[in-house]
Amino acid sequence: MNLTQKETELLKDLKSQEKLCIEKYSKGAAAACDCGLKDLFNYLGETEQSHLNMLNAISAGQVPTTGGGRAKPQITNSGCNCNEQQKKTDGYLCADALALEKHASSLYDTSIFEFSASELRNVLNSIQKDEQEHGEMLYSYMSQNNLYSI
């Protein structure tokens, strides 16, 4: 499948965004106190890696399949003993990740309209849906753990 110059540039931007997500989730998992948040960040990072793999396949002229069917982690506080400062740090990590997901979703929203092949638009739409679900998962974690206002 031949891509236009604009599609190629959009893929480059999307891949950079996914790499940033992967790195942030890896660092977030390492920095988080709550074990449930660590699990959530690890799950999100793995999903972002699958998105990057799909984008690389598109760049190589392929139409990747969507939907990994992985089980989503439970969004809870796992009962780890975090002090107030650690809880604030977890709240900051979540707020940063939520902003990251909002930006990623916006990039996909724009890109979907710029691709000429409906098969590729469907792949990008599937990834955007994942990004929106990531935001919902982060919001749920923050809300359940009284971190949304931190």
Side-chain angles (χ1 to χ4, degrees), residues 27-90:
K27 289 182 179 185
C33 174
D34 182 67
C35 299
L37 183 57
K38 287 178 182 287
D39 291 344
L40 177 58
F41 282 162
N42 284 324
Y43 170 83
L44 296 174
E46 290 168 8
T47 305
E48 301 298 358
Q49 181 63 57
S50 73
H51 295 165
L52 180 59
N53 294 344
M54 285 189 265
L55 295 173
N56 285 330
I58 293 171
S59 293
Q62 303 166 3
V63 179
T65 58
T66 58
R70 295 179 327 129
K72 295 177 186 171
Q74 289 293 106
I75 310 299
T76 61
N77 182 314
S78 64
C80 292
N81 293 324
C82 300
N83 65 36
E84 198 58 35
Q85 184 58 44
Q86 291 168 320
K87 189 173 179 176
K88 281 187 175 186
T89 298
D90 282 359

Coordinates of all heavy atoms in Angstrom, one line a residue, residues 27-90:
K27 N 8.4 4.6 33.0 CA 8.9 5.4 34.1 C 7.8 5.6 35.2 O 8.2 5.6 36.4 CB 9.4 6.8 33.6 CG 10.6 6.7 32.8 CD 11.1 8.0 32.3 CE 12.4 7.8 31.6 NZ 13.0 9.1 31.2
G28 N 6.6 5.7 34.8 CA 5.5 5.8 35.8 C 5.3 4.6 36.6 O 5.1 4.6 37.8
A29 N 5.5 3.4 36.0 CA 5.4 2.1 36.7 C 6.5 2.0 37.7 O 6.3 1.5 38.9 CB 5.4 0.9 35.8
A30 N 7.7 2.5 37.4 CA 8.8 2.4 38.3 C 8.7 3.4 39.4 O 9.1 3.1 40.5 CB 10.1 2.7 37.5
A31 N 8.0 4.6 39.2 CA 7.9 5.6 40.2 C 6.7 5.5 41.1 O 6.7 6.0 42.2 CB 7.9 7.0 39.5
A32 N 5.6 4.8 40.6 CA 4.4 4.7 41.4 C 4.6 3.9 42.7 O 5.4 3.0 42.7 CB 3.3 4.1 40.5
C33 N 3.9 4.3 43.7 CA 3.9 3.6 45.0 C 2.9 2.5 45.0 O 3.2 1.3 45.3 CB 3.6 4.6 46.1 SG 3.4 3.7 47.7
D34 N 1.6 2.8 44.5 CA 0.5 1.8 44.6 C 0.8 0.7 43.6 O 1.0 1.0 42.4 CB -0.8 2.5 44.4 CG -1.9 1.5 44.5 OD1 -2.2 1.0 45.6 OD2 -2.6 1.3 43.4
C35 N 0.7 -0.5 44.0 CA 0.9 -1.7 43.2 C -0.1 -1.8 42.1 O 0.2 -2.2 40.9 CB 0.9 -3.0 44.0 SG 2.2 -3.0 45.3
G36 N -1.4 -1.4 42.4 CA -2.4 -1.4 41.3 C -2.1 -0.4 40.2 O -2.4 -0.6 39.1
L37 N -1.6 0.8 40.6 CA -1.2 1.8 39.6 C 0.0 1.3 38.8 O 0.0 1.5 37.6 CB -0.8 3.1 40.3 CG -0.5 4.2 39.4 CD1 -1.6 4.5 38.3 CD2 -0.2 5.5 40.2
K38 N 0.9 0.6 39.4 CA 2.1 0.0 38.7 C 1.5 -1.0 37.6 O 2.0 -0.9 36.5 CB 3.0 -0.7 39.6 CG 3.9 0.1 40.5 CD 4.7 -0.7 41.4 CE 5.6 0.1 42.4 NZ 6.7 0.8 41.7
D39 N 0.6 -1.8 38.0 CA 0.0 -2.8 37.1 C -0.7 -2.0 35.9 O -0.6 -2.5 34.8 CB -1.0 -3.7 37.8 CG -0.3 -4.7 38.7 OD1 0.9 -4.9 38.6 OD2 -1.1 -5.2 39.6
L40 N -1.5 -1.0 36.3 CA -2.2 -0.2 35.3 C -1.2 0.4 34.3 O -1.4 0.3 33.0 CB -3.0 0.9 35.9 CG -3.8 1.8 34.9 CD1 -4.7 1.0 34.0 CD2 -4.6 2.8 35.7
F41 N -0.1 1.0 34.8 CA 0.9 1.6 33.9 C 1.5 0.6 33.0 O 1.8 0.8 31.8 CB 1.9 2.4 34.7 CG 1.4 3.8 35.2 CD1 2.1 4.4 36.2 CD2 0.4 4.4 34.6 CE1 1.7 5.7 36.6 CE2 0.0 5.7 35.0 CZ 0.7 6.3 36.1
N42 N 1.8 -0.6 33.6 CA 2.4 -1.7 32.8 C 1.5 -2.1 31.7 O 1.9 -2.3 30.5 CB 2.9 -2.8 33.7 CG 4.1 -2.5 34.4 OD1 5.0 -1.9 34.0 ND2 4.2 -3.0 35.7
Y43 N 0.2 -2.3 32.0 CA -0.8 -2.7 31.0 C -0.8 -1.6 29.9 O -0.8 -2.0 28.7 CB -2.1 -2.9 31.7 CG -3.3 -3.0 30.7 CD1 -3.5 -4.3 30.1 CD2 -4.0 -1.9 30.3 CE1 -4.6 -4.4 29.2 CE2 -5.1 -2.1 29.4 CZ -5.3 -3.3 28.8 OH -6.3 -3.4 27.9
L44 N -0.9 -0.4 30.3 CA -1.0 0.7 29.3 C 0.2 0.8 28.4 O 0.1 1.0 27.2 CB -1.3 2.1 30.0 CG -2.7 2.2 30.7 CD1 -2.7 3.5 31.5 CD2 -3.8 2.0 29.8
G45 N 1.4 0.6 29.0 CA 2.6 0.6 28.2 C 2.6 -0.5 27.2 O 3.1 -0.3 26.1
E46 N 2.2 -1.7 27.6 CA 2.1 -2.8 26.7 C 1.2 -2.5 25.5 O 1.4 -2.9 24.4 CB 1.7 -4.1 27.4 CG 2.8 -4.6 28.4 CD 2.3 -5.7 29.3 OE1 1.1 -6.2 29.1 OE2 3.0 -6.0 30.2
T47 N 0.1 -1.9 25.8 CA -0.9 -1.6 24.8 C -0.3 -0.5 23.8 O -0.5 -0.6 22.6 CB -2.2 -1.1 25.4 OG1 -2.7 -2.0 26.3 CG2 -3.3 -0.8 24.3
E48 N 0.4 0.4 24.4 CA 1.0 1.5 23.5 C 2.0 0.8 22.6 O 2.2 1.2 21.5 CB 1.6 2.6 24.4 CG 0.6 3.3 25.3 CD -0.5 4.1 24.6 OE1 -0.6 4.1 23.3 OE2 -1.3 4.6 25.3
Q49 N 2.7 -0.2 23.1 CA 3.7 -0.9 22.3 C 3.0 -1.6 21.1 O 3.5 -1.6 20.0 CB 4.5 -1.9 23.1 CG 5.6 -2.7 22.3 CD 6.7 -1.8 21.8 OE1 7.3 -1.1 22.5 NE2 6.8 -1.8 20.5
S50 N 1.9 -2.2 21.4 CA 1.1 -2.8 20.3 C 0.7 -1.8 19.3 O 0.6 -2.0 18.1 CB -0.1 -3.6 20.8 OG -1.1 -2.8 21.3
H51 N 0.3 -0.6 19.7 CA 0.0 0.5 18.8 C 1.2 0.9 17.9 O 1.0 1.0 16.7 CB -0.5 1.8 19.6 CG -1.8 1.6 20.3 ND1 -2.1 2.5 21.3 CD2 -2.7 0.6 20.3 CE1 -3.3 2.1 21.8 NE2 -3.7 0.9 21.2
L52 N 2.3 1.0 18.5 CA 3.5 1.3 17.8 C 3.8 0.2 16.8 O 4.2 0.5 15.6 CB 4.7 1.5 18.7 CG 6.1 1.8 18.1 CD1 6.0 3.1 17.3 CD2 7.2 1.9 19.2
N53 N 3.6 -1.0 17.1 CA 3.8 -2.1 16.2 C 2.9 -2.0 15.0 O 3.3 -2.2 13.9 CB 3.6 -3.5 16.9 CG 4.7 -3.7 17.9 OD1 5.7 -3.1 18.0 ND2 4.4 -4.7 18.8
M54 N 1.6 -1.6 15.3 CA 0.7 -1.4 14.2 C 1.1 -0.3 13.3 O 1.0 -0.4 12.0 CB -0.7 -1.2 14.7 CG -1.4 -2.4 15.3 SD -3.2 -2.2 15.7 CE -3.0 -1.8 17.4
L55 N 1.5 0.8 13.8 CA 2.0 1.9 13.0 C 3.2 1.6 12.2 O 3.3 2.0 11.0 CB 2.3 3.1 13.9 CG 1.1 3.7 14.7 CD1 1.5 4.8 15.7 CD2 0.0 4.3 13.8
N56 N 4.1 0.8 12.8 CA 5.3 0.3 12.0 C 4.8 -0.5 10.8 O 5.4 -0.5 9.7 CB 6.3 -0.4 12.9 CG 7.0 0.6 13.8 OD1 7.3 1.7 13.4 ND2 7.4 0.1 14.9
A57 N 3.8 -1.4 11.1 CA 3.3 -2.2 10.0 C 2.7 -1.4 8.9 O 2.9 -1.6 7.7 CB 2.3 -3.2 10.5
I58 N 2.0 -0.3 9.2 CA 1.4 0.6 8.2 C 2.5 1.2 7.4 O 2.4 1.3 6.2 CB 0.5 1.6 8.9 CG1 -0.8 1.0 9.5 CG2 0.1 2.7 7.9 CD1 -1.6 1.9 10.3
S59 N 3.5 1.7 8.1 CA 4.7 2.3 7.5 C 5.3 1.4 6.5 O 5.9 1.8 5.5 CB 5.7 2.8 8.5 OG 5.2 3.8 9.3
A60 N 5.3 0.1 6.8 CA 5.9 -1.0 5.9 C 4.9 -1.4 4.8 O 5.2 -2.3 4.1 CB 6.3 -2.2 6.7
G61 N 3.8 -0.7 4.7 CA 2.8 -1.0 3.6 C 1.8 -2.1 3.9 O 1.1 -2.6 3.0
Q62 N 1.7 -2.5 5.2 CA 0.8 -3.5 5.6 C -0.5 -2.9 6.2 O -0.4 -1.8 6.7 CB 1.4 -4.5 6.6 CG 2.7 -5.1 6.0 CD 3.5 -5.8 7.2 OE1 3.1 -5.8 8.3 NE2 4.7 -6.3 6.8
V63 N -1.5 -3.7 6.3 CA -2.7 -3.3 7.1 C -2.8 -4.3 8.2 O -3.1 -5.4 8.1 CB -4.0 -3.4 6.2 CG1 -5.2 -3.0 7.0 CG2 -3.9 -2.5 5.0
P64 N -2.4 -3.8 9.4 CA -2.4 -4.7 10.6 C -3.8 -5.0 11.1 O -4.8 -4.3 10.8 CB -1.7 -3.8 11.6 CG -1.9 -2.4 11.2 CD -2.0 -2.4 9.7
T65 N -3.9 -6.1 11.8 CA -5.1 -6.5 12.5 C -5.2 -5.8 13.8 O -4.2 -5.4 14.4 CB -5.2 -8.0 12.7 OG1 -4.1 -8.4 13.5 CG2 -5.2 -8.7 11.4
T66 N -6.4 -5.5 14.2 CA -6.6 -4.8 15.5 C -7.2 -5.7 16.5 O -7.7 -6.8 16.2 CB -7.5 -3.6 15.3 OG1 -8.8 -4.0 14.8 CG2 -6.9 -2.6 14.3
G67 N -7.2 -5.3 17.8 CA -7.8 -6.0 18.9 C -6.9 -7.1 19.4 O -7.0 -8.2 18.8
G68 N -6.2 -6.8 20.4 CA -5.4 -7.9 21.1 C -6.1 -8.8 22.0 O -5.7 -9.9 22.2
G69 N -7.3 -8.3 22.5 CA -8.1 -9.2 23.3 C -7.5 -9.5 24.7 O -7.8 -10.4 25.4
R70 N -6.5 -8.6 25.1 CA -5.9 -8.8 26.4 C -6.9 -8.4 27.5 O -7.7 -7.4 27.4 CB -4.7 -7.9 26.6 CG -3.6 -8.4 25.6 CD -2.3 -7.5 25.7 NE -2.5 -6.2 26.0 CZ -1.9 -5.5 27.0 NH1 -1.0 -6.1 27.7 NH2 -2.2 -4.3 27.3
A71 N -6.8 -9.0 28.6 CA -7.7 -8.7 29.8 C -7.2 -7.4 30.4 O -6.1 -7.2 30.6 CB -7.7 -9.8 30.8
K72 N -8.2 -6.5 30.7 CA -7.9 -5.3 31.3 C -7.7 -5.5 32.8 O -8.4 -6.3 33.4 CB -9.0 -4.3 31.1 CG -9.1 -3.9 29.6 CD -10.3 -2.9 29.4 CE -10.5 -2.7 27.9 NZ -11.7 -2.0 27.6
P73 N -6.8 -4.8 33.4 CA -6.5 -4.9 34.8 C -7.7 -4.3 35.6 O -8.4 -3.4 35.2 CB -5.2 -4.2 35.1 CG -5.2 -3.1 34.0 CD -5.8 -3.8 32.8
Q74 N -7.9 -4.8 36.8 CA -8.9 -4.2 37.7 C -8.3 -2.8 38.2 O -7.2 -2.7 38.5 CB -9.0 -5.1 39.0 CG -9.8 -6.3 38.7 CD -11.2 -6.1 38.3 OE1 -11.6 -6.2 37.2 NE2 -12.0 -5.7 39.3
I75 N -9.2 -1.8 38.2 CA -8.8 -0.5 38.5 C -9.2 -0.3 40.0 O -10.3 0.1 40.4 CB -9.6 0.6 37.7 CG1 -9.5 0.3 36.2 CG2 -9.1 2.0 38.0 CD1 -8.0 0.2 35.7
T76 N -8.2 -0.5 40.9 CA -8.4 -0.4 42.3 C -7.1 0.0 43.0 O -6.1 0.1 42.4 CB -8.8 -1.7 42.9 OG1 -7.8 -2.7 42.8 CG2 -10.1 -2.3 42.4
N77 N -7.2 0.4 44.2 CA -6.1 0.6 45.1 C -5.8 -0.8 45.7 O -6.6 -1.4 46.3 CB -6.4 1.6 46.2 CG -5.2 1.9 47.1 OD1 -4.5 1.0 47.5 ND2 -5.0 3.1 47.3
S78 N -4.6 -1.3 45.5 CA -4.3 -2.6 45.8 C -3.9 -2.8 47.3 O -3.7 -3.9 47.8 CB -3.1 -3.1 45.0 OG -1.9 -2.3 45.3
G79 N -4.0 -1.7 48.1 CA -3.8 -1.8 49.5 C -2.3 -1.6 49.9 O -1.9 -1.9 51.0
C80 N -1.5 -1.2 48.9 CA -0.1 -1.0 49.2 C 0.0 0.2 50.2 O -0.9 1.1 50.2 CB 0.7 -0.6 48.0 SG 0.9 -2.0 46.8
N81 N 0.9 0.2 51.1 CA 1.0 1.2 52.1 C 1.8 2.4 51.6 O 3.0 2.4 51.6 CB 1.7 0.7 53.4 CG 0.9 -0.4 54.1 OD1 -0.3 -0.3 54.1 ND2 1.5 -1.4 54.6
C82 N 1.1 3.4 51.1 CA 1.7 4.6 50.5 C 1.4 5.7 51.5 O 0.3 5.9 52.0 CB 1.1 4.9 49.2 SG 1.3 3.6 47.9
N83 N 2.5 6.5 51.8 CA 2.3 7.7 52.6 C 1.7 8.8 51.8 O 1.4 8.7 50.6 CB 3.6 8.1 53.3 CG 4.6 8.6 52.3 OD1 4.4 9.2 51.3 ND2 5.9 8.2 52.6
E84 N 1.4 9.9 52.4 CA 0.6 11.0 51.8 C 1.5 11.6 50.6 O 0.9 11.9 49.6 CB 0.3 12.1 52.8 CG -0.7 13.1 52.3 CD -2.1 12.4 52.0 OE1 -2.5 11.5 52.7 OE2 -2.7 12.9 51.1
Q85 N 2.8 11.7 50.8 CA 3.6 12.3 49.7 C 3.6 11.3 48.5 O 3.6 11.7 47.3 CB 5.0 12.5 50.2 CG 5.9 13.2 49.1 CD 5.4 14.5 48.6 OE1 4.9 15.3 49.3 NE2 5.4 14.6 47.3
Q86 N 3.7 10.0 48.8 CA 3.7 9.0 47.7 C 2.4 9.0 47.0 O 2.3 8.9 45.8 CB 4.0 7.6 48.3 CG 5.4 7.5 48.7 CD 5.6 6.2 49.5 OE1 4.8 5.8 50.4 NE2 6.8 5.6 49.3
K87 N 1.3 9.2 47.7 CA 0.0 9.3 47.1 C -0.1 10.5 46.2 O -0.7 10.5 45.1 CB -1.1 9.4 48.2 CG -2.5 9.2 47.7 CD -3.5 9.1 48.8 CE -4.9 9.0 48.2 NZ -6.0 8.8 49.2
K88 N 0.5 11.7 46.6 CA 0.5 12.9 45.8 C 1.3 12.6 44.5 O 0.9 13.0 43.4 CB 1.1 14.0 46.6 CG 0.1 14.7 47.5 CD 0.7 16.0 48.1 CE -0.3 16.7 48.9 NZ 0.1 18.0 49.4
T89 N 2.4 11.9 44.7 CA 3.2 11.6 43.5 C 2.4 10.7 42.5 O 2.4 10.9 41.3 CB 4.5 10.9 43.9 OG1 5.3 11.8 44.7 CG2 5.4 10.4 42.7
D90 N 1.7 9.7 43.1 CA 0.9 8.8 42.2 C -0.2 9.7 41.5 O -0.5 9.4 40.3 CB 0.2 7.7 43.1 CG 1.2 6.6 43.4 OD1 2.3 6.6 43.0 OD2 0.7 5.6 44.1

